[in-house]
Each structure stands twice: as structure tokens, then as C-alpha cells.
């Protein structure tokens, strides 16, 4: 079958290219028409949502996977229209095309649809209450996909990182090699999740015989703070010889590190529904970290 992948150049998109390739003919897209390795691909501009239907008509995929998004959380506060076009309007255009021709759509959402005031892991049916433009635009994208009426698999994920691209892990390793002391927020709790894990689960879900449609939470298991994640990164990097020495990691509060966009303080997502529906066992976040560090 032909699989059309939007957002082939992001950290998740790169992992999806690997994981989805065995399913058939993979057609990747980027905004520039070029993949990270320099090879040419299809062009898809999420800043012009209506243009996406033309591409879909031409490629005529049998599965669509949307890993493209506006993810600059802080910049979105002053760039609402662009965030809304990419995260809400574009997924709606794609979903309506998929519904009209009977093609399943895989789409990725975020823990930012919740306000972070919970005291237990968030379930799929818990009330949403995004704190900022990014979360609101992603929630609107979810709603547009559901309203289209076609088969969809919406995977909410969180704290995504990889051995490549720009992310928290790579930033910590770079800055940690340069400094003796780092200050990292300790009062935001969530689940670090490898992009490779999300991609592998996506491929498994698409091969599941049930033809399921709906929304699932897809992260590793367990929880930690950004401070705890940073310490674990350095411990693993030093023990595997990826880093000569670990810096001291000082715990600070969110108030000590103000940002334009508010973050959910607690965004541990409950993944039991995904594990049950698809028969998939998800690893804990520490095991995921070991695998990513090994791949560096």
C-alpha cells in the first residue's frame, strides 16, 4: 500500500520513515521538498492548508500519517494564526479528504491539551483545558479530525526526544559537556518518550486487524521531572562512555524559569487503553532512555 507521511523531516518523521517503510510504498513530505539526508521528496506546506488536498488527490495514498505540526510552544503565543493553520486547519483538510475516500488517518497530539492540575495519570476521556495557544491549536486539530467522520488514530504523546534532531536530551548533552552546573526545572512532571517508540507503535497499530478508530495516549510508562530526566541522561551517558563527566544538576521551580507559554505541571498520560486495545506492552521511560543513548 501507499503511505503518505506528512512531516518527514522532524524527529518523529525521521523515525516514521524507518518504521513505516516495510508497510509498502512510503511517500514522505516536507515543507521544503527536501529530506534531512538531502534527497528530494514531496512538498507540503501546512501554512497553506487548502493546498494539501491537491497533493492528496495526486498521490492517492491508502494510509495517511500526519507528523507535521507547529511545535514552537512559546512562539505560538505571538504567532497564533500560523499555529492554528498548521495544527488545526491543516489536519482538518487532511481528515476530510481521508473520510471522503475511506482512508485511515494517523495523527499525533499532545499532553498540552490538559491543564496539568491532575493528581493521577490522564485518561483519554478526561476533560481537556489547554493553557496556551499551542495546546489549544492541537486540541482543535483533534476535534476537526473527529468531526470529519472518517477512521482515525489520534495518538497523544509527550516529552518526545531522539538521538537526532533538536530536543531536550541532545541539548542537555551539549550544554552538560560545556558547564559544571546546570539548573533544570523540577516541578513539571511527565514521561520522556522516544520518537522511535512512537514510530514503532504506529506501525504496529496500522497492522492491527481490528480496524480501530479513536484516541489513545502513547508514551513510555512511569514519570519523572525535567530535573530527574536530566540527571538520568547524564548518568547513562557517563556510564556508557558518551560523556566524560556529569555536571551538577540543580533543581529549580517553574517560577525560576519563566516562559511566554504556561506548561502543564503534571502531564503523565495513562497508556493502559492503548496497551489493551492493540496488545502492545510499552517500556518504562528509563529503558527508552538507555536505547536512545545507545543509538547516539
Amino acid at each position: 500500500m501507499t503511505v503518505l507521511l506528512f512531516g518527514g523531516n522532524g524527529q518523529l518523521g525521521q523515525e516514521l520513515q524507518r518504521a513505516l517503510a516495510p508497510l509498502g510504498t512510503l511517500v514522505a513530505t516536507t515543507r521544503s521538498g527536501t529530506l534531512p539526508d538531502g534527497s528530494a521528496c514531496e512538498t507540503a506546506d501546512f501554512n497553506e492548508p487548502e493546498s494539501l488536498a491537491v497533493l492528496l488527490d495526486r498521490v492517492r495514498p491508502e494510509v495517511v500519517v500526519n507528523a507535521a505540526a507547529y511545535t514552537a510552544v512559546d512562539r505560538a503565543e505571538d504567532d497564533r494564526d500560523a499555529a492554528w493553520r498548521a495544527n488545526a486547519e491543516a489536519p482538518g483538510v487532511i481528515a476530510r479528504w481521508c473520510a471522503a475516500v475511506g482512508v485511515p488517518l494517523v495523527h499525533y497530539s499532545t499532553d498540552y491539551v490538559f491543564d496539568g492540575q491532575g493528581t493521577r495519570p490522564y485518561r483519554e476521556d478526561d476533560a481537556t483545558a489547554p493553557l496556551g495557544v499551542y495546546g489549544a491549536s492541537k486540541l482543535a486539530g483533534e476535534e476537526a479530525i473527529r468531526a470529519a467522520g472518517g477512521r482515525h488514530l489520534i495518538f497523544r504523546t509527550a516529552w518526545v526526544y531522539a538521538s537526532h534532531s533538536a530536543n531536550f536530551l541532545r541539548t542537555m548533552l551539549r550544554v552538560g559537556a560545556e558547564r559544571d552546573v546546570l539548573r533544570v526545572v523540577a516541578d513539571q512532571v511527565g514521561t520522556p518518550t522516544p520518537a522511535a517508540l512512537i514510530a514503532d507503535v504506529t506501525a504496529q497499530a496500522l497492522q492491527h486487524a481490528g480496524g480501530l478508530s479513536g484516541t489513545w495516549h502513547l508514551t513510555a510508562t512511569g514519570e519523572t521531572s525535567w530535573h530527574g530526566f536530566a540527571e538520568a541522561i547524564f548518568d547513562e551517558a557517563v556510564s556508557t562512555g558518551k560523556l566524560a563527566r556529569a555536571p551538577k544538576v540543580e533543581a529549580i521551580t517553574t517560577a525560576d524559569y519563566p516562559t511566554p507559554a504556561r506548561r502543564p505541571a503534571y502531564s503523565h498520560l495513562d497508556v493502559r487503553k492503548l496497551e489493551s486495545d492493540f496488545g502492545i506492552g510499552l517500556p518504562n521511560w528509563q529503558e527508552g532512555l538507555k536505547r536512545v543513548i545507545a543509538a547516539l
Side-chain angles (χ1 to χ4, degrees):
M1 61 183 174
T2 299
V3 180
L4 179 61
L5 169 63
F6 288 106
N9 58 334
Q11 62 179 346
L12 176 54
Q14 292 180 59
E15 295 293 345
L16 284 165
Q17 288 187 67
R18 170 192 56 77
L20 299 178
L23 302 186
T25 301
L26 180 64
V27 179
T29 80
T30 66
R31 186 174 182 178
S32 67
T34 304
L35 291 169
D37 64 3
S39 60
C41 67
E42 294 284 352
T43 300
D45 188 354
F46 272 48
N47 202 40
E48 297 181 6
E50 294 304 326
S51 69
L52 302 175
V54 177
L55 173 63
L56 287 158
D57 282 335
R58 179 164 54 78
V59 176
R60 302 298 293 184
E62 289 144 290
V63 175
V64 177
V65 179
N66 178 32
Y70 186 113
T71 57
V73 175
D74 290 321
R75 193 163 69 238
E77 293 299 304
D78 294 320
D79 199 11
R80 182 188 183 280
D81 290 347
W84 219 263
R85 284 192 295 272
N87 293 343
E89 295 174 22
V93 170
I94 296 167
R96 288 187 289 274
W97 187 94
C98 289
V101 300
V103 167
L105 168 62
V106 178
H107 178 78
Y108 302 95
S109 191
T110 174
D111 56 326
Y112 278 65
V113 301
F114 298 112
D115 64 9
Q117 298 304 302
T119 56
R120 56 147 177 84
Y122 282 99
R123 295 190 290 259
E124 288 82 355
D125 58 357
D126 282 331
T128 53
L131 299 174
V133 171
Y134 169 70
S137 66
K138 291 295 288 183
L139 180 58
E142 288 187 15
E143 293 168 343
I145 290 168
R146 296 186 192 105
R151 183 189 170 204
H152 59 271
L153 295 90
I154 297 173
F155 294 125
R156 290 180 183 146
T157 190
W159 294 30
V160 182
Y161 69 101
S163 60
H164 52 81
S165 306
N167 56 65
F168 183 81
L169 176 140
R170 287 173 57 85
T171 298
M172 287 296 101
L173 291 177
R174 174 178 55 80
V175 178
E178 300 168 351
R179 304 180 191 173
D180 295 324
V181 180
L182 297 179
R183 304 171 73 235
V184 181
V185 170
D187 59 355
Q188 294 175 22
V189 172
T191 307
T193 302
L197 173 64
I198 301 169
D200 290 340
V201 170
T202 298
Q204 293 177 65
L206 284 172
Q207 296 174 86
H208 190 272
L212 297 173
S213 183
T215 301
W216 293 268
H217 290 168
L218 197 181
T219 66
T221 62
E223 64 179 47
T224 189
S225 66
W226 289 112
H227 177 268
F229 187 26
E231 289 198 313
I233 289 169
F234 294 129
D235 288 346
E236 185 65 20
V238 170
S239 68
T240 56
K242 307 285 185 176
L243 196 65
R245 51 130 188 97
K248 180 182 179 181
V249 185
E250 294 183 347
I252 63 172
T253 67
T254 299
D256 293 325
Y257 188 72
T259 56
R262 294 171 61 200
R263 269 75 171 163
Y266 181 81
S267 62
H268 182 174
L269 302 180
D270 189 325
V271 298
R272 290 177 295 177
K273 179 172 180 276
L274 182 141
E275 291 184 313
S276 174
D277 287 354
F278 294 102
I280 294 171
L282 294 165
N284 61 46
W285 71 266
Q286 296 96 328
E287 179 60 30
L289 174 60
K290 289 180 179 179
R291 294 177 186 174
V292 174
I293 292 284
L296 285 169

